[in-house]
Amino acid sequence: SGVPCAVVATLDGYVQTSEDVIPFSSTGVTSFKVEMRKSTLRVQCYDAATNQKLTDVAVDLVPLDGQVGVRWTAGSSQQQRVAVGRAYRVVARGGRLRQTTPAVDEDVVFGRADWAQLSDDKPAELRVMLERRVATVEVKVLDASRQQETLLTHARCKVGATHFSQAEGWQQDVDLPCGRQAMREMPALCSLDDYLQLPPKRCDVFVGDAHNVNLVELRMRPLSVCLRASSCYDDKVIEGVKWTL
C-alpha cells in the first residue's frame, strides 16, 4: 500500500494545479506528474454604492516582503502574474474615490483555490470596491412666498460642511459621509436677512458617476409680521395702537 505524501511545487508566476497528495510506494519507484499553470490575475474596480464598473482607478499590489510589486494603470484590463502564497497590500488610486474592500491595511494572499475552478488560460479576478469621497451639488434657494418662485441670489447656504453663495459658487463638490448607500442624507441650511428657511432642512445626495450633478432646492419665506390689537371682551379691532418691537 502507498504512503501518502504531500507534493508542493513552487515557481514564480505559476500555480500548482495537480494533486498535492501522492501515494508513495514503499516497495518500488513512484512516478508522478506535477501540473502547473500561469498564476494570472485581472483586477476589476467597482463603485461600492452602485456596483458600477470604474475605469478611472489605478491599482498596485504591494508585496510585504519587499519584492517587486504589480501595477495596473487606470482602466487597464491586463492580465498579470502574481506570486502564490505571497502577502500583498492592495492600493487603489482614483480621484474622488475612497477604497473600501479590500481594506488598505488588509493582507491579501493568493492561493491555489483562486485558480482551482478556472480553465487553463482564464485569470483569477480581484474585485476592488471603492466609494465616492465627494459628489457635485448645485444649490438653488427659492422664495416660496411668491406664486412664481424666484431665486434668492443673496442667500448663503451650507450642505454638509461645504458653503454655497453667489461669491463662492452655487455648484461645488461636497464631501460625502462614509457609507455604501447610493443615496446619502445630508444637512442643508440656508440664511438670508429677513427670511426664514422652510423645512425640510436636509437633502438627499445621490452617489453616481463623476459627471452626475445633484440639484438641491431650498425654500425660504419673508419674516413678515402682522400685528393686530383687539378687545379681550368682544374681539373688536382697536384702532390707533402704537407698537414697539
Side-chain angles (χ1 to χ4, degrees), residues 33-52:
K33 180 173 66 173
V34 176
E35 296 179 352
M36 305 184 79
R37 58 152 290 176
K38 295 176 182 178
S39 53
T40 52
L41 179 73
R42 179 169 54 213
V43 172
Q44 303 281 11
C45 298
Y46 296 90
D47 189 311
T50 63
N51 212 34
Q52 252 184 333

Side-chain angles (χ1 to χ4, degrees), residues 8-218:
V8 179
T10 59
L11 179 63
D12 280 348
Y14 284 81
V15 57
Q16 181 180 344
T17 56
S18 57
E19 295 294 328
D20 56 358
V21 176
I22 302 295
F24 274 65
S25 173
S26 58
T27 59
V29 176
T30 301
S31 62
F32 59 90
K33 180 173 66 173
V34 176
E35 296 179 352
M36 305 184 79
R37 58 152 290 176
K38 295 176 182 178
S39 53
T40 52
L41 179 73
R42 179 169 54 213
V43 172
Q44 303 281 11
C45 298
Y46 296 90
D47 189 311
T50 63
N51 212 34
Q52 252 184 333
K53 189 174 179 180
L54 302 172
T55 59
D56 55 348
V57 181
V59 177
D60 285 339
L61 291 185
V62 182
L64 301 185
D65 58 4
Q67 298 298 313
V68 178
V70 187
R71 171 169 292 184
W72 283 264
T73 58
S76 172
S77 58
Q78 183 181 1
Q79 301 176 20
Q80 301 205 59
R81 296 192 204 183
V82 294
V84 177
R86 179 175 294 164
Y88 293 93
R89 291 281 172 87
V90 179
V91 180
R93 305 181 314 281
R96 303 156 60 98
L97 294 165
R98 179 192 298 117
Q99 180 179 333
T100 59
T101 307
V104 291
D105 58 352
E106 178 183 344
D107 294 353
V108 175
V109 180
F110 300 101
R112 292 180 58 185
D114 293 303
W115 291 270
Q117 305 300 323
L118 303 177
S119 59
D120 291 341
D121 57 348
K122 189 173 182 181
E125 183 175 292
L126 173 65
R127 290 173 62 94
V128 181
M129 309 300 290
L130 303 101
E131 64 179 15
R132 298 283 174 188
R133 294 186 295 108
V134 297
T136 304
V137 172
E138 180 182 353
V139 174
K140 290 184 178 180
V141 185
L142 302 171
D143 187 342
S145 67
R146 299 176 180 270
Q147 188 172 2
Q148 184 72 32
E149 292 182 327
T150 57
L151 288 172
L152 296 172
T153 56
H154 296 293
R156 292 181 59 84
C157 304
K158 187 178 179 183
V159 176
T162 306
H163 294 270
F164 295 78
S165 68
Q166 192 167 14
E168 294 161 305
W170 295 109
Q171 181 173 307
Q172 296 193 63
D173 287 341
V174 172
D175 291 328
L176 292 167
C178 294
R180 294 193 177 184
Q181 302 82 9
M183 198 71 72
R184 312 280 174 84
E185 187 181 57
M186 302 184 69
L189 303 173
C190 55
S191 61
L192 179 63
D193 288 347
D194 301 327
Y195 276 80
L196 173 71
Q197 181 180 356
L198 301 178
K201 297 183 179 181
R202 303 187 69 82
C203 65
D204 290 326
V205 176
F206 177 72
V207 185
D209 58 38
H211 306 290
N212 183 67
V213 178
N214 292 270
L215 177 61
V216 175
E217 291 186 343
L218 304 176

Side-chain angles (χ1 to χ4, degrees), residues 228-239:
R228 174 179 176 270
S230 61
S231 169
C232 60
Y233 297 104
D234 54 12
D235 201 34
K236 287 185 178 180
V237 176
I238 303 174
E239 304 290 347

